[in-house]
Amino acid sequence: MHGQICIFRTRNSRNSYMAPPILSLVLPSETGRILSIQSHTVQGYVGNKSAVFPLQLLGYDVDPINSVQFSNHTGYPTFTGQVLNGQQLWDIIEGLEANDLLYYTHLLTGYIGSVSFLNTVLEVVNKLRSVNPKLTYVCDPVLGDEGKLYVPQELISVYREKVVPVASMLTPNQFEAELLTGFSIQSEDDGRKACNFLHEAGPSKVVITSINIDGNLLLIGSHQKEKGQSPQQFKILIPKIPAYFTGTGDLTTALLLGWSNKYPDNLEKAAELAVSSLQALLQRTMDDYTHAGHDPQSTSLEIRLIQSQDDIRNPQIKFKAEIYS
């Protein structure tokens, strides 16, 4: 027995000097390797819990960094947990760098609660691009919704002045697009102008994920394939489901990343797939709560992510993009 332990220790010590190759680097998938910096809840599906699994189903290696670890999302009566600060985030990045593990094809970020953490994320973008200049940075600029801010006011200018210029794809909702552009978005034309303004500032792909216009819910997407060119723009009409769900924005951005990478020159197709997955999942969530005897309009609903994995992997396109001429 003692000899076996010695053998194990010897092997272990030898392996510590000769780390095995990282297969996601040596044998990269056709999809990519994503670093996802988002919140984490033990129970329920928001942030990384809402984004990582769908991206894995679509074939990506995803390395999550949890910006917070909470018992549950903050919409419950109480929550407990820890918040990662900027220095702790940088410590993790340095640990990855020390072992040559910082090659990523994509960076994904969602809710960020402080200016100091957001500034560290900007340092992460620079660091990752120094390793892979072609890094795609997909940013969901989580600021608020329906006129209500979720974050300190001072984050808006940091997003505007520093984050938007380095993002490859931006996925704001209507309120966030208004905050980032300074425009009021009251019409489809306003939404398209907001996309143009954001292209000028940086990202080649902009998807305003939800716009309420005259009682209709729309997604407006815009892809500027070359700087200075007119972008190709489209809309998708989205049915309104009479309920409030948590984690849907995080899931939408993850699906848009996943599909737009598979269809790099066809953002409208990526959006059709993302919207179709999401709508199937939301309908299942509604049906399951109703089946359980719960009124879906009485509380916010946790999405049925695991039960909807077939709709994520192989969505049936039921929502078509209409190209603006």
Side-chain angles (χ1 to χ4, degrees):
M1 186 70 194
H2 183 70
Q4 285 178 321
I5 292 170
C6 286
I7 290 166
F8 173 74
R9 276 186 186 151
T10 307
R11 280 184 187 153
N12 201 37
S13 61
R14 191 174 69 221
N15 283 350
S16 68
Y17 293 109
M18 285 186 58
I22 308 303
L23 292 181
S24 62
L25 296 177
V26 180
L27 307 172
S29 65
E30 289 174 18
T31 46
R33 186 165 184 254
I34 301 168
L35 183 66
S36 179
I37 305 174
Q38 298 197 62
S39 53
H40 170 86
T41 57
V42 174
Q43 193 280 329
Y45 295 96
V46 299
N48 268 333
K49 282 282 291 285
S50 189
V52 173
F53 178 63
L55 285 165
Q56 289 170 331
L57 285 177
L58 293 177
Y60 295 84
D61 284 301
V62 189
D63 292 357
I65 295 180
N66 298 324
S67 56
V68 307
Q69 174 166 270
F70 287 162
S71 53
N72 43 266
H73 71 69
T74 56
Y76 282 85
T78 64
F79 66 94
T80 58
Q82 299 81 38
V83 177
L84 199 71
N85 64 37
Q87 184 55 53
Q88 290 166 327
L89 169 60
W90 195 249
D91 288 345
I92 292 169
I93 296 299
E94 287 188 324
L96 291 166
E97 184 180 32
N99 292 300
D100 292 327
L101 302 176
L102 267 193
Y103 185 92
Y104 288 97
T105 57
H106 295 77
L107 171 67
L108 172 62
T109 63
Y111 174 81
I112 292 166
S114 72
V115 169
S116 63
F117 197 88
L118 187 53
N119 280 327
T120 306
V121 167
L122 286 160
E123 292 179 44
V124 173
V125 176
N126 288 336
K127 176 67 78 175
L128 295 182
R129 286 210 166 121
S130 74
V131 180
N132 175 18
K134 293 182 176 175
L135 175 92
T136 298
Y137 174 25
V138 177
C139 172
D140 182 4
V142 180
L143 296 168
D145 200 8
E146 295 180 351
K148 184 181 165 203
L149 267 183
Y150 297 157
V151 299
Q153 181 87 29
E154 57 265 28
L155 260 79
I156 298 170
S157 61
V158 182
Y159 270 106
R160 263 189 186 176
E161 295 161 21
K162 297 182 181 177
V163 179
V164 171
V166 298
S168 314
M169 178 158 81
L170 209 60
T171 61
N173 60 31
Q174 180 173 0
F175 178 56
E176 290 158 349
E178 289 178 333
L179 291 172
L180 293 173
T181 60
F183 302 167
S184 171
I185 299 175
Q186 303 292 334
S187 66
E188 289 180 43
D189 202 42
D190 291 343
R192 295 176 66 189
K193 283 177 181 163
C195 290
N196 291 341
F197 180 93
L198 292 167
H199 287 314
E200 285 292 311
S204 60
K205 293 178 182 175
V206 178
V207 179
I208 305 178
T209 53
S210 57
I211 302 185
N212 266 301
I213 293 168
D214 301 328
N216 293 317
L217 192 61
L218 301 171
L219 173 150
I220 291 183
S222 186
H223 184 192
Q224 186 181 45
K225 296 186 181 181
E226 298 286 340
K227 271 289 175 203
Q229 270 188 5
S230 293
Q232 178 152 352
Q233 298 184 319
F234 63 90
K235 67 176 176 181
I236 299 177
L237 195 60
I238 301 170
K240 279 188 172 176
I241 297 178
Y244 177 76
F245 305 88
T246 54
T248 52
D250 308 316
L251 173 58
T252 301
T253 298
L255 293 172
L256 285 167
L257 186 167
W259 288 114
S260 67
N261 186 57
K262 290 172 187 274
Y263 297 98
D265 293 319
N266 196 341
L267 186 59
E268 57 272 22
K269 167 100 175 193
E272 288 173 347
L273 288 157
V275 168
S276 296
S277 279
L278 181 70
Q279 290 300 310
L281 174 144
L282 296 182
Q283 194 57 57
R284 174 175 288 100
T285 302
M286 277 277 288
D287 293 347
D288 286 357
Y289 273 105
T290 304
H291 185 68
H294 180 78
D295 175 6
Q297 294 186 49
S298 64
T299 60
S300 68
L301 308 179
E302 295 269 18
I303 55 175
R304 297 286 273 171
L305 190 67
I306 307 305
Q307 295 74 11
S308 304
Q309 56 187 285
D310 290 345
D311 297 309
I312 293 166
R313 203 186 273 113
N314 297 302
Q316 293 183 319
I317 295 184
K318 294 186 176 176
F319 302 93
K320 297 290 285 184
E322 188 181 319
I323 308 289
Y324 290 113
S325 55

